[in-house]
Amino acid sequence: MSKRQILMLLGVWVIVFLFLGFPPFWDKIFALITGLAIIAVTIQLRPEQPIVKSEETQTSTIPPVNTI
């Protein structure tokens, strides 16, 4: 399971546990544990590498115009 899927499930869990009717103390405990889990997963996410175009694909000259 990817880290993005884990984050999605944790987000769904946050939405669901709010409506389950736990006592306020347990709501705080679940929120704390879920928040720590979200922080742990996001720390492990690698930033996306920027796409670098190679010099071969970049053209800095204007193509010649065909004359008759």
Side-chain angles (χ1 to χ4, degrees), residues 19-68:
F19 294 100
L20 291 177
F22 290 112
F25 175 76
W26 285 105
D27 274 345
K28 290 179 183 179
I29 296 296
F30 289 140
L32 177 69
I33 292 171
T34 305
L36 291 174
I38 290 172
I39 291 170
V41 172
T42 55
I43 287 174
Q44 294 177 358
L45 282 177
R46 295 183 191 136
E48 294 181 10
Q49 297 294 329
I51 299 173
V52 179
K53 293 183 180 179
S54 66
E55 292 180 18
E56 297 171 357
T57 60
Q58 295 177 350
T59 58
S60 59
T61 60
I62 300 173
V65 178
N66 294 334
T67 58
I68 301 177

